[in-house]
mmCIF file of all heavy atoms in Angstrom:
data_model
loop_
_atom_site.group_PDB
_atom_site.id
_atom_site.type_symbol
_atom_site.label_atom_id
_atom_site.label_comp_id
_atom_site.label_asym_id
_atom_site.label_seq_id
_atom_site.Cartn_x
_atom_site.Cartn_y
_atom_site.Cartn_z
ATOM 1 N N GLU A 238 0.349 -34.743 8.707
ATOM 2 C CA GLU A 238 -0.539 -35.067 7.591
ATOM 3 C C GLU A 238 -0.919 -33.804 6.815
ATOM 4 O O GLU A 238 -0.772 -33.729 5.622
ATOM 5 C CB GLU A 238 -1.801 -35.766 8.127
ATOM 6 C CG GLU A 238 -1.535 -37.152 8.711
ATOM 7 C CD GLU A 238 -1.052 -38.135 7.660
ATOM 8 O OE1 GLU A 238 -1.396 -37.954 6.484
ATOM 9 O OE2 GLU A 238 -0.330 -39.065 8.007
ATOM 10 N N ASN A 239 -1.429 -32.795 7.520
ATOM 11 C CA ASN A 239 -1.860 -31.554 6.886
ATOM 12 C C ASN A 239 -1.338 -30.381 7.699
ATOM 13 O O ASN A 239 -1.347 -30.415 8.932
ATOM 14 C CB ASN A 239 -3.398 -31.486 6.799
ATOM 15 C CG ASN A 239 -3.961 -32.577 5.904
ATOM 16 O OD1 ASN A 239 -3.682 -32.622 4.729
ATOM 17 N ND2 ASN A 239 -4.755 -33.460 6.492
ATOM 18 N N SER A 240 -0.908 -29.347 7.024
ATOM 19 C CA SER A 240 -0.345 -28.198 7.713
ATOM 20 C C SER A 240 -1.438 -27.436 8.457
ATOM 21 O O SER A 240 -2.498 -27.121 7.897
ATOM 22 C CB SER A 240 0.328 -27.267 6.712
ATOM 23 O OG SER A 240 0.735 -26.082 7.340
ATOM 24 N N SER A 241 -1.159 -27.122 9.734
ATOM 25 C CA SER A 241 -2.098 -26.318 10.521
ATOM 26 C C SER A 241 -2.150 -24.887 10.002
ATOM 27 O O SER A 241 -3.068 -24.136 10.344
ATOM 28 C CB SER A 241 -1.689 -26.319 11.998
ATOM 29 O OG SER A 241 -1.837 -27.609 12.556
ATOM 30 N N GLY A 242 -1.151 -24.483 9.189
ATOM 31 C CA GLY A 242 -1.162 -23.141 8.630
ATOM 32 C C GLY A 242 -2.339 -22.884 7.697
ATOM 33 O O GLY A 242 -2.680 -21.731 7.440
ATOM 34 N N LYS A 243 -2.979 -23.940 7.219
ATOM 35 C CA LYS A 243 -4.137 -23.788 6.335
ATOM 36 C C LYS A 243 -5.447 -23.704 7.100
ATOM 37 O O LYS A 243 -6.504 -23.494 6.507
ATOM 38 C CB LYS A 243 -4.187 -24.951 5.350
ATOM 39 C CG LYS A 243 -2.998 -24.989 4.387
ATOM 40 C CD LYS A 243 -3.133 -26.105 3.375
ATOM 41 C CE LYS A 243 -1.959 -26.102 2.391
ATOM 42 N NZ LYS A 243 -2.071 -27.175 1.385
ATOM 43 N N VAL A 244 -5.380 -23.873 8.427
ATOM 44 C CA VAL A 244 -6.585 -23.795 9.249
ATOM 45 C C VAL A 244 -6.949 -22.329 9.456
ATOM 46 O O VAL A 244 -6.083 -21.502 9.760
ATOM 47 C CB VAL A 244 -6.360 -24.483 10.612
ATOM 48 C CG1 VAL A 244 -7.603 -24.352 11.491
ATOM 49 C CG2 VAL A 244 -6.007 -25.949 10.406
ATOM 50 N N LYS A 245 -8.205 -21.973 9.308
ATOM 51 C CA LYS A 245 -8.636 -20.597 9.519
ATOM 52 C C LYS A 245 -8.477 -20.226 10.988
ATOM 53 O O LYS A 245 -8.626 -21.059 11.874
ATOM 54 C CB LYS A 245 -10.095 -20.435 9.095
ATOM 55 C CG LYS A 245 -10.322 -20.644 7.604
ATOM 56 C CD LYS A 245 -11.778 -20.427 7.236
ATOM 57 C CE LYS A 245 -11.998 -20.611 5.737
ATOM 58 N NZ LYS A 245 -13.413 -20.418 5.360
ATOM 59 N N TRP A 246 -8.181 -18.956 11.224
ATOM 60 C CA TRP A 246 -7.912 -18.533 12.600
ATOM 61 C C TRP A 246 -9.120 -18.714 13.498
ATOM 62 O O TRP A 246 -8.978 -18.952 14.703
ATOM 63 C CB TRP A 246 -7.399 -17.088 12.629
ATOM 64 C CG TRP A 246 -8.360 -16.033 12.146
ATOM 65 C CD1 TRP A 246 -8.417 -15.465 10.920
ATOM 66 C CD2 TRP A 246 -9.392 -15.396 12.913
ATOM 67 N NE1 TRP A 246 -9.408 -14.528 10.853
ATOM 68 C CE2 TRP A 246 -10.031 -14.452 12.073
ATOM 69 C CE3 TRP A 246 -9.843 -15.529 14.225
ATOM 70 C CZ2 TRP A 246 -11.090 -13.662 12.498
ATOM 71 C CZ3 TRP A 246 -10.901 -14.728 14.648
ATOM 72 C CH2 TRP A 246 -11.511 -13.809 13.803
ATOM 73 N N LYS A 247 -10.325 -18.616 12.948
ATOM 74 C CA LYS A 247 -11.519 -18.809 13.776
ATOM 75 C C LYS A 247 -11.649 -20.249 14.246
ATOM 76 O O LYS A 247 -12.278 -20.522 15.276
ATOM 77 C CB LYS A 247 -12.774 -18.393 13.000
ATOM 78 C CG LYS A 247 -12.928 -16.891 12.849
ATOM 79 C CD LYS A 247 -14.271 -16.529 12.250
ATOM 80 C CE LYS A 247 -14.438 -15.011 12.172
ATOM 81 N NZ LYS A 247 -15.751 -14.613 11.608
ATOM 82 N N ASP A 248 -11.075 -21.179 13.476
ATOM 83 C CA ASP A 248 -11.086 -22.578 13.882
ATOM 84 C C ASP A 248 -9.887 -22.914 14.761
ATOM 85 O O ASP A 248 -9.961 -23.838 15.577
ATOM 86 C CB ASP A 248 -11.082 -23.490 12.645
ATOM 87 C CG ASP A 248 -12.325 -23.293 11.786
ATOM 88 O OD1 ASP A 248 -13.396 -23.023 12.355
ATOM 89 O OD2 ASP A 248 -12.213 -23.402 10.551
ATOM 90 N N PHE A 249 -8.802 -22.166 14.609
ATOM 91 C CA PHE A 249 -7.598 -22.455 15.391
ATOM 92 C C PHE A 249 -7.715 -21.910 16.812
ATOM 93 O O PHE A 249 -7.341 -22.578 17.781
ATOM 94 C CB PHE A 249 -6.376 -21.853 14.693
ATOM 95 C CG PHE A 249 -5.064 -22.275 15.286
ATOM 96 C CD1 PHE A 249 -4.488 -23.483 14.933
ATOM 97 C CD2 PHE A 249 -4.411 -21.468 16.207
ATOM 98 C CE1 PHE A 249 -3.279 -23.883 15.488
ATOM 99 C CE2 PHE A 249 -3.197 -21.852 16.761
ATOM 100 C CZ PHE A 249 -2.648 -23.068 16.398
ATOM 101 N N PHE A 250 -8.242 -20.687 16.938
ATOM 102 C CA PHE A 250 -8.423 -20.079 18.259
ATOM 103 C C PHE A 250 -9.876 -20.254 18.684
ATOM 104 O O PHE A 250 -10.782 -19.699 18.056
ATOM 105 C CB PHE A 250 -8.056 -18.596 18.222
ATOM 106 C CG PHE A 250 -6.630 -18.332 17.817
ATOM 107 C CD1 PHE A 250 -6.340 -17.798 16.582
ATOM 108 C CD2 PHE A 250 -5.590 -18.641 18.675
ATOM 109 C CE1 PHE A 250 -5.024 -17.548 16.205
ATOM 110 C CE2 PHE A 250 -4.272 -18.402 18.307
ATOM 111 C CZ PHE A 250 -3.992 -17.861 17.071
ATOM 112 N N GLU A 251 -10.081 -21.005 19.741
ATOM 113 C CA GLU A 251 -11.431 -21.372 20.157
ATOM 114 C C GLU A 251 -11.997 -20.451 21.229
ATOM 115 O O GLU A 251 -13.196 -20.500 21.503
ATOM 116 C CB GLU A 251 -11.429 -22.819 20.661
ATOM 117 C CG GLU A 251 -10.992 -23.823 19.587
ATOM 118 C CD GLU A 251 -10.856 -25.230 20.126
ATOM 119 O OE1 GLU A 251 -11.007 -25.402 21.356
ATOM 120 O OE2 GLU A 251 -10.601 -26.151 19.321
ATOM 121 N N ASP A 252 -11.173 -19.625 21.853
ATOM 122 C CA ASP A 252 -11.654 -18.718 22.893
ATOM 123 C C ASP A 252 -12.512 -17.629 22.255
ATOM 124 O O ASP A 252 -12.043 -16.872 21.407
ATOM 125 C CB ASP A 252 -10.454 -18.081 23.617
ATOM 126 C CG ASP A 252 -10.857 -17.307 24.861
ATOM 127 O OD1 ASP A 252 -11.854 -16.559 24.803
ATOM 128 O OD2 ASP A 252 -10.164 -17.450 25.890
ATOM 129 N N PRO A 253 -13.806 -17.497 22.649
ATOM 130 C CA PRO A 253 -14.687 -16.504 21.991
ATOM 131 C C PRO A 253 -14.228 -15.068 22.209
ATOM 132 O O PRO A 253 -14.411 -14.222 21.330
ATOM 133 C CB PRO A 253 -16.055 -16.762 22.643
ATOM 134 C CG PRO A 253 -15.756 -17.484 23.918
ATOM 135 C CD PRO A 253 -14.518 -18.281 23.667
ATOM 136 N N TYR A 254 -13.621 -14.767 23.367
ATOM 137 C CA TYR A 254 -13.128 -13.404 23.600
ATOM 138 C C TYR A 254 -11.970 -13.082 22.662
ATOM 139 O O TYR A 254 -11.887 -11.975 22.118
ATOM 140 C CB TYR A 254 -12.679 -13.256 25.055
ATOM 141 C CG TYR A 254 -13.807 -13.382 26.059
ATOM 142 C CD1 TYR A 254 -13.882 -14.469 26.920
ATOM 143 C CD2 TYR A 254 -14.800 -12.410 26.149
ATOM 144 C CE1 TYR A 254 -14.908 -14.594 27.841
ATOM 145 C CE2 TYR A 254 -15.835 -12.523 27.066
ATOM 146 C CZ TYR A 254 -15.884 -13.612 27.908
ATOM 147 O OH TYR A 254 -16.905 -13.729 28.813
ATOM 148 N N LEU A 255 -11.090 -14.050 22.469
ATOM 149 C CA LEU A 255 -9.967 -13.848 21.548
ATOM 150 C C LEU A 255 -10.457 -13.722 20.112
ATOM 151 O O LEU A 255 -9.950 -12.889 19.343
ATOM 152 C CB LEU A 255 -8.977 -15.008 21.674
ATOM 153 C CG LEU A 255 -7.768 -14.980 20.739
ATOM 154 C CD1 LEU A 255 -6.991 -13.677 20.884
ATOM 155 C CD2 LEU A 255 -6.858 -16.180 20.997
ATOM 156 N N GLN A 256 -11.449 -14.511 19.731
ATOM 157 C CA GLN A 256 -12.003 -14.419 18.381
ATOM 158 C C GLN A 256 -12.571 -13.031 18.115
ATOM 159 O O GLN A 256 -12.376 -12.460 17.043
ATOM 160 C CB GLN A 256 -13.089 -15.480 18.191
ATOM 161 C CG GLN A 256 -12.566 -16.901 18.100
ATOM 162 C CD GLN A 256 -13.697 -17.905 17.910
ATOM 163 O OE1 GLN A 256 -14.870 -17.581 18.091
ATOM 164 N NE2 GLN A 256 -13.336 -19.130 17.551
ATOM 165 N N GLN A 257 -13.257 -12.483 19.111
ATOM 166 C CA GLN A 257 -13.840 -11.150 18.956
ATOM 167 C C GLN A 257 -12.763 -10.085 18.812
ATOM 168 O O GLN A 257 -12.882 -9.158 18.000
ATOM 169 C CB GLN A 257 -14.734 -10.838 20.158
ATOM 170 C CG GLN A 257 -15.494 -9.524 20.047
ATOM 171 C CD GLN A 257 -16.435 -9.299 21.219
ATOM 172 O OE1 GLN A 257 -16.488 -10.108 22.134
ATOM 173 N NE2 GLN A 257 -17.145 -8.194 21.198
ATOM 174 N N LEU A 258 -11.674 -10.224 19.573
ATOM 175 C CA LEU A 258 -10.576 -9.261 19.478
ATOM 176 C C LEU A 258 -9.912 -9.313 18.110
ATOM 177 O O LEU A 258 -9.623 -8.270 17.500
ATOM 178 C CB LEU A 258 -9.538 -9.551 20.573
ATOM 179 C CG LEU A 258 -9.922 -9.189 22.009
ATOM 180 C CD1 LEU A 258 -8.866 -9.697 22.979
ATOM 181 C CD2 LEU A 258 -10.095 -7.681 22.159
ATOM 182 N N ILE A 259 -9.663 -10.517 17.604
ATOM 183 C CA ILE A 259 -9.020 -10.657 16.291
ATOM 184 C C ILE A 259 -9.922 -10.093 15.203
ATOM 185 O O ILE A 259 -9.473 -9.383 14.291
ATOM 186 C CB ILE A 259 -8.671 -12.126 16.019
ATOM 187 C CG1 ILE A 259 -7.598 -12.613 16.997
ATOM 188 C CG2 ILE A 259 -8.186 -12.311 14.587
ATOM 189 C CD1 ILE A 259 -7.274 -14.083 16.881
ATOM 190 N N ASP A 260 -11.198 -10.391 15.298
ATOM 191 C CA ASP A 260 -12.150 -9.912 14.297
ATOM 192 C C ASP A 260 -12.178 -8.384 14.264
ATOM 193 O O ASP A 260 -12.186 -7.768 13.186
ATOM 194 C CB ASP A 260 -13.542 -10.473 14.606
ATOM 195 C CG ASP A 260 -14.504 -10.319 13.435
ATOM 196 O OD1 ASP A 260 -14.103 -10.641 12.294
ATOM 197 O OD2 ASP A 260 -15.632 -9.858 13.646
ATOM 198 N N SER A 261 -12.173 -7.760 15.439
ATOM 199 C CA SER A 261 -12.170 -6.292 15.502
ATOM 200 C C SER A 261 -10.858 -5.723 14.973
ATOM 201 O O SER A 261 -10.845 -4.671 14.321
ATOM 202 C CB SER A 261 -12.395 -5.823 16.943
ATOM 203 O OG SER A 261 -13.649 -6.273 17.435
ATOM 204 N N THR A 262 -9.751 -6.418 15.236
ATOM 205 C CA THR A 262 -8.447 -5.956 14.770
ATOM 206 C C THR A 262 -8.395 -5.920 13.250
ATOM 207 O O THR A 262 -7.875 -4.963 12.654
ATOM 208 C CB THR A 262 -7.335 -6.870 15.308
ATOM 209 O OG1 THR A 262 -7.343 -6.837 16.729
ATOM 210 C CG2 THR A 262 -5.971 -6.428 14.810
ATOM 211 N N LEU A 263 -8.928 -6.940 12.603
ATOM 212 C CA LEU A 263 -8.874 -7.018 11.140
ATOM 213 C C LEU A 263 -9.769 -5.983 10.470
ATOM 214 O O LEU A 263 -9.677 -5.771 9.259
ATOM 215 C CB LEU A 263 -9.259 -8.430 10.680
ATOM 216 C CG LEU A 263 -8.342 -9.556 11.174
ATOM 217 C CD1 LEU A 263 -8.779 -10.895 10.606
ATOM 218 C CD2 LEU A 263 -6.888 -9.278 10.818
ATOM 219 N N VAL A 264 -10.639 -5.340 11.261
ATOM 220 C CA VAL A 264 -11.493 -4.284 10.722
ATOM 221 C C VAL A 264 -10.937 -2.904 11.044
ATOM 222 O O VAL A 264 -10.935 -2.009 10.199
ATOM 223 C CB VAL A 264 -12.932 -4.422 11.282
ATOM 224 C CG1 VAL A 264 -13.801 -3.250 10.825
ATOM 225 C CG2 VAL A 264 -13.555 -5.734 10.835
ATOM 226 N N ASN A 265 -10.428 -2.729 12.263
ATOM 227 C CA ASN A 265 -10.102 -1.390 12.754
ATOM 228 C C ASN A 265 -8.615 -1.082 12.836
ATOM 229 O O ASN A 265 -8.263 0.071 13.095
ATOM 230 C CB ASN A 265 -10.715 -1.187 14.151
ATOM 231 C CG ASN A 265 -12.226 -1.341 14.153
ATOM 232 O OD1 ASN A 265 -12.904 -0.879 13.245
ATOM 233 N ND2 ASN A 265 -12.761 -1.999 15.167
ATOM 234 N N ASN A 266 -7.732 -2.063 12.651
ATOM 235 C CA ASN A 266 -6.311 -1.796 12.820
ATOM 236 C C ASN A 266 -5.834 -0.741 11.819
ATOM 237 O O ASN A 266 -6.064 -0.855 10.613
ATOM 238 C CB ASN A 266 -5.511 -3.085 12.651
ATOM 239 C CG ASN A 266 -4.031 -2.874 12.873
ATOM 240 O OD1 ASN A 266 -3.272 -2.686 11.936
ATOM 241 N ND2 ASN A 266 -3.618 -2.899 14.122
#
Side-chain angles (χ1 to χ4, degrees):
E238 293 295 333
N239 296 298
S240 173
S241 293
K243 295 184 178 180
V244 178
K245 295 182 179 179
W246 64 262
K247 286 188 177 181
D248 298 326
F249 189 83
F250 300 108
E251 299 174 355
D252 190 316
Y254 295 112
L255 178 56
Q256 289 180 347
Q257 185 176 2
L258 287 173
I259 294 175
D260 195 46
S261 299
T262 299
L263 299 183
V264 175
N265 301 319
N266 182 264

